[in-house]
Amino acid sequence: MPVIKEDVISNILKTSKSEKVFSKALSAYVLTKDNITEKLIIFTICTILSIILGMASNTVYLVTNSISLFLNITLALFGIIFTGYAIFQTLLTNELIVKLFEDTILDKQKQEKSKLQETNENFVCLMMLFVLGIIINIILNILMPVIPENYCLFDNIILCTVLATILIDVLFYTMGIIIWRIVSFIGNIYHLFNAYAVSKLISALKDQHPE
């Protein structure tokens, strides 16, 4: 009979405040040894694009189009993630649930939790990030049409270009990290499908060779 630890069950039943979940979702922006390469790649790409847009003669127009594009992408990907999470829930057979509870890991606080809890938390944090991206782009989508095409905050054109480039870079990097997180979502789906296949295999073997 499978042995599932009490701590694992009690941890998954704990109620987490939405602020805590949101704070954990924002940890995607924290630079660590494990993600320094991907962060540098994203930052480099975003910086190059920001310089191109910041130095263009029609910066406001290009940024407005970029914001609309980001909004469409985040809405589409959010729908895909939500659908993927719903599919995952339908694939949870009894055997798979037991297996995901037996497979445990230690989090950063050295608390033991099940693979099922980790998977649920990853999905929720990912959806939180996309909600953040959607809100940011909706607000910017409302504000950008107010800004005139040839608007300059300062008389110094170089200072305006540098400031515009920095602000665009912040936006692009923020959205770049959010969109890149879809890679982890694909990885989670891949592992879950593998676990589901194994659980079905075990079930099929039991049916073929009943004790």
Side-chain angles (χ1 to χ4, degrees):
M1 183 176 178
V3 178
I4 299 173
K5 298 177 182 179
E6 267 185 47
D7 290 343
V8 173
I9 297 175
S10 62
N11 281 338
I12 201 171
L13 292 175
K14 285 181 181 177
T15 304
S16 297
K17 293 183 178 179
S18 56
E19 293 84 359
K20 186 177 180 180
V21 177
F22 184 68
S23 176
K24 185 177 179 182
L26 291 179
S27 65
Y29 292 96
V30 177
L31 189 66
T32 63
K33 290 181 180 179
D34 296 330
N35 64 23
I36 188 169
T37 302
E38 67 182 52
K39 290 284 196 301
L40 284 174
I41 293 172
I42 294 170
F43 179 75
T44 302
I45 294 172
C46 292
T47 301
I48 293 171
L49 292 174
S50 301
I51 292 172
I52 294 171
L53 266 65
M55 296 181 68
S57 58
N58 54 343
T59 299
V60 174
Y61 173 77
L62 293 174
V63 172
T64 303
N65 282 353
S66 299
I67 292 169
S68 297
L69 180 62
F70 281 139
L71 181 57
N72 291 333
I73 290 173
T74 49
L75 285 171
L77 290 178
F78 182 79
I80 293 171
I81 293 166
F82 193 83
T83 303
Y85 187 68
I87 292 172
F88 161 64
Q89 295 296 327
T90 61
L91 293 179
L92 284 177
T93 61
N94 293 338
E95 292 85 0
L96 183 55
I97 290 174
V98 172
K99 177 62 181 172
L100 291 175
F101 266 104
E102 286 180 319
D103 189 5
T104 61
I105 60 167
L106 290 176
D107 60 15
K108 293 179 180 179
Q109 286 74 41
K110 303 299 180 182
Q111 290 185 333
E112 193 173 17
K113 60 183 180 182
S114 66
K115 191 68 178 177
L116 180 63
Q117 181 180 352
E118 184 199 26
T119 302
N120 283 335
E121 288 177 356
N122 287 339
F123 272 120
V124 172
C125 287
L126 184 59
M127 285 191 283
M128 281 279 195
L129 281 177
F130 272 87
V131 169
L132 173 65
I134 291 168
I135 292 172
I136 289 173
N137 283 288
I138 287 175
I139 293 172
L140 291 176
N141 220 20
I142 295 170
L143 294 177
M144 285 305 294
V146 179
I147 302 175
E149 285 286 337
N150 299 317
Y151 178 75
C152 285
L153 188 60
F154 306 104
D155 293 332
N156 190 327
I157 190 65
I158 296 176
L159 183 60
C160 285
T161 301
V162 171
L163 181 60
T165 302
I166 293 172
L167 292 176
I168 294 168
D169 199 16
V170 171
L171 172 63
F172 277 30
Y173 183 74
T174 301
M175 296 309 302
I177 293 295
I178 293 174
I179 294 171
W180 179 257
R181 296 300 296 174
I182 202 71
V183 174
S184 66
F185 165 74
I186 294 171
N188 283 335
I189 290 292
Y190 172 74
H191 292 305
L192 290 171
F193 278 145
N194 284 344
Y196 175 73
V198 171
S199 70
K200 295 299 286 184
L201 174 63
I202 294 171
S203 179
L205 291 173
K206 285 181 180 178
D207 292 339
Q208 288 183 0
H209 306 284
E211 295 182 359

